[in-house]
Every structure is written in C-alpha cells, then in structure tokens.
Amino acid sequence: EESLQMWDLNKRLEAYLARVKFLEEENEVLRAEIQSAKGIPTGDSWRGKYEEELRALRDALDHAFREKCTAELARDNLYEEVQQVKSRCQKEQAAREEAKKQLSLSRKELEEERRAQIWLKERAVQLEKEVEALLEVHEEEKAGLDQEIASFSQSLESFRCAPVAFQPVEVEDYSKRLSEIWKGAVETYKTEVSQLEGSLCQAKENLWKAVEDNQQSQLQLQHLEKDLAGLKARKEMLEESLARQWQEQRGEAEKFQLAMEALEQEKQTLRVQIAQVLEDRQQLMHLKMSLSLEVATYRTLLEAESTRLQMPAG
C-alpha cells in the first residue's frame, strides 16, 4: 500500500511539475507579448511608460488650453472691434440722418426763397403796371390841363383888355402842385423799386447760399455714404473672419476632444490590460506558491518515508 501511495504521489508530483513548467512558459510568452505590444525594452517598467504618456497628455492638454485662451482673447478683441464698428456705424447713421434733416431744411428754405423771389417778381410787375397806369393818368391829366390852358388862353384873347395884366396864378399853382405830386410819386416809386431790388438781391444771395449749402450737404452725404459702405464692408469682413476663426477653433476643439477621448480610451484599455496582466500574474504567483508548498510537502513526505525505510536497515 505504501508503495502504491508513493507511486501515486510521484505521478501527481510529475503532473504538478509539468503544470508549473507549462504555466511558467505561458507566463514568459505573455510577458514577451506585453513587452512587444508596449514597444519598450525588457528592463523598462510599464509604470514609467504610463507616466510618460500621462505627462505627454498633460502637455497636450496644457497646449490646447493655452491655444483656447489665445483664441478666446482674439475672439474678445474681434468682438470689441465689431462693437466699435457698430458704434461708428450708429454715429455715421445719426450723422446721415442729421445731414438729411439739414438737407430737408435747406430745401424748405430754398423753396421759401423761390416763392419769395416769385412774389417779388410778381410785385415788381404789379408795381410796373401801376407806374404805367399812373403815367397814363398823368399824361391824360397833363393833356387835359394843356387843353384847358389852351381854351383858357383862347378865352383870354377874346377879351380886349391888356393881356399882360392877367396872370393865371391858379393854373400855375395847380401845375406846380401836380408836378410836385408827380415828383413825389416818382420818388416813392424809385424808393420802392430800390427796396425791391435790394430784397431781390438779398433773396438771390440767400438762394445762392442755400444752393451752396445744398451742394455741400450732398457732398457730405456722399462722403458719409462712402464711409458707411466701407464700414459695412469692413464689418462683413470682420464677421466672416470671426465666423471662420470660430469654425476653426471649434474644429480644433473637436479634434482635441476626439484625441483626448481616444487617448483616454487607450489609457482605459491599457489600465484594463495591465490589471488583467497583474491579476494573471498574481494568480500565477498564488498557483506557484501553492505548488511550491505542495512540492515541499511531498518532498518532506518523501524524505520522511525514505528515512523511515532506512531506519530498519540501519
């Protein structure tokens, strides 16, 4: 029975030794595969590689953060510039509205000056007609007076008295009065005509000033429209540049995010692989320790059995 037990123990020991050898060879194969997968020499540790990759990822993250801060600063600068352009556009719009108001006022003044000029022309024509009518009336009165003087002189000649003694004082006074009235009317007409001419000259000057102001307002309006068009083009250019930079920044952020996700996924995969390898190694160590204990136990049993068998012979 003891020989059978020893033979059974030897068979089990050979089986355990073969299993240990197979597991050690499999462990070496797995270690070689892990090292080849990592691409590092045998002497380097996986922790150093992991820390180096983690450091590279942190540097890439810091670089992306700095680029993000730079892009945000550029975006803020562009936003401030766009706000300045908008304020300038509002100011130009207000100036344009003010120029339009001034132009409308100038047009109203021009229309008023034209109406005043037309009224002055009509008044001058009316005064000329009145003067012509007065001249006709004066000529008629003068002709009537001449006829009366002629008839009166004829009636005087019919008398036989001395003609020297008769002096037509009333007729002379009447003619003097008429001549004074005519002179006063002429002076009044001349005064009114001179006043009308002065007001007409003033109206012409005001009209020229209004025309010049209108031309200057139109030129200023054209300049403002050109400046406004330039500012609109610059605003569109800045908005396009800002949108393009936003798209580029968004694309870069998406790329960085995808790269970080890929690196994070790879890190998780490496962690899982390292945990799996550590677990396998720990299991192998436990198995090796158990086998070593069992081998030691078998060895002790064999030594005790051999000692027991040698003691009777001695």
Side-chain angles (χ1 to χ4, degrees):
E1 291 178 359
E2 289 178 356
S3 298
L4 289 174
Q5 289 180 0
M6 289 297 295
W7 184 77
D8 191 11
L9 288 173
N10 288 328
K11 291 295 183 182
R12 288 178 66 187
L13 180 60
E14 289 179 359
Y16 280 120
L17 290 174
R19 189 177 178 184
V20 168
K21 187 176 180 181
F22 174 73
L23 290 174
E24 286 180 352
E25 291 177 355
E26 191 176 5
N27 192 9
E28 291 294 333
V29 172
L30 288 174
R31 187 182 291 110
E33 288 180 357
I34 290 171
Q35 290 177 358
S36 62
K38 287 183 178 181
I40 59 174
T42 309
D44 293 337
S45 176
W46 60 272
R47 188 178 297 276
K49 181 65 177 177
Y50 174 72
E51 290 179 355
E52 185 178 356
E53 290 180 356
L54 187 61
R55 194 180 302 110
L57 289 174
R58 286 176 180 173
D59 293 336
L61 184 62
D62 292 336
H63 182 68
F65 183 74
R66 286 195 296 271
E67 288 184 352
K68 182 182 178 182
C69 292
T70 305
E72 288 179 353
L73 183 61
R75 180 194 64 189
D76 295 335
N77 292 328
L78 287 174
Y79 181 75
E80 289 178 359
E81 192 171 356
V82 168
Q83 292 296 325
Q84 291 178 0
V85 170
K86 285 183 180 179
S87 63
R88 287 186 63 186
C89 288
Q90 291 177 359
K91 289 180 181 179
E92 294 294 336
Q93 188 71 24
R96 186 177 180 183
E97 295 294 331
E98 187 67 23
K100 285 183 179 180
K101 289 180 181 179
Q102 294 292 332
L103 182 61
S104 63
L105 292 175
S106 300
R107 286 178 180 176
K108 288 181 181 179
E109 290 178 358
L110 182 61
E111 291 294 330
E112 291 178 358
E113 292 294 334
R114 287 178 180 175
R115 291 176 183 175
Q117 187 178 5
I118 292 170
W119 181 80
L120 289 173
K121 287 181 179 179
E122 292 177 355
R123 182 64 177 170
V125 171
Q126 186 178 0
L127 288 174
E128 287 178 356
K129 288 181 180 179
E130 289 179 358
V131 169
E132 289 178 356
L134 288 174
L135 288 173
E136 290 178 356
V137 171
H138 179 69
E139 292 293 333
E140 290 178 358
E141 290 179 355
K142 186 178 180 181
L145 288 174
D146 291 335
Q147 289 179 1
E148 287 180 359
I149 290 170
S151 62
F152 187 72
S153 62
Q154 288 178 3
S155 63
L156 286 177
E157 287 179 356
S158 61
F159 289 100
R160 292 183 177 178
C161 61
V164 179
F166 181 77
Q167 294 181 356
V169 179
E170 293 180 357
V171 174
E172 290 179 357
D173 293 334
Y174 184 68
S175 63
K176 286 180 181 180
R177 204 177 306 166
L178 285 176
S179 62
E180 289 177 357
I181 292 170
W182 168 248
K183 288 180 181 180
V186 170
E187 292 294 331
T188 304
Y189 172 71
K190 287 181 179 180
T191 305
E192 290 181 356
V193 168
S194 62
Q195 290 178 358
L196 290 174
E197 287 179 352
S199 61
L200 183 62
C201 293
Q202 187 68 29
K204 286 181 179 180
E205 289 179 359
N206 294 327
L207 180 63
W208 281 111
K209 288 181 180 179
V211 170
E212 289 178 356
D213 293 336
N214 189 10
Q215 291 178 356
Q216 290 179 359
S217 299
Q218 288 180 357
L219 291 174
Q220 188 177 3
L221 182 61
Q222 291 177 359
H223 288 301
L224 290 174
E225 288 178 352
K226 289 180 180 179
D227 294 337
L228 183 61
L231 290 173
K232 285 183 178 179
R234 187 178 179 185
K235 180 183 176 183
E236 291 176 356
M237 189 182 300
L238 289 173
E239 287 179 352
E240 290 178 357
S241 176
L242 183 61
R244 186 165 56 253
Q245 288 184 0
W246 268 105
Q247 291 178 359
E248 291 177 357
Q249 184 180 0
R250 189 176 297 170
E252 290 178 357
E254 290 178 356
K255 288 180 181 178
F256 282 124
Q257 188 68 26
L258 291 174
M260 289 176 66
E261 289 178 357
L263 291 171
E264 188 68 27
Q265 188 175 1
E266 187 177 358
K267 184 173 74 174
Q268 294 294 332
T269 305
L270 288 173
R271 282 182 179 177
V272 172
Q273 290 179 0
I274 290 168
Q276 187 67 33
V277 170
L278 291 174
E279 186 177 0
D280 294 339
R281 186 175 293 176
Q282 190 174 4
Q283 290 179 0
L284 288 173
M285 291 296 293
H286 286 298
L287 184 58
K288 187 175 180 181
M289 289 174 65
S290 62
L291 289 173
S292 299
L293 290 173
E294 192 172 358
V295 167
T297 304
Y298 287 150
R299 186 176 296 168
T300 305
L301 290 172
L302 288 174
E303 289 178 356
E305 187 65 26
S306 64
T307 304
R308 189 176 64 81
L309 291 175
Q310 288 176 3
M311 282 177 67

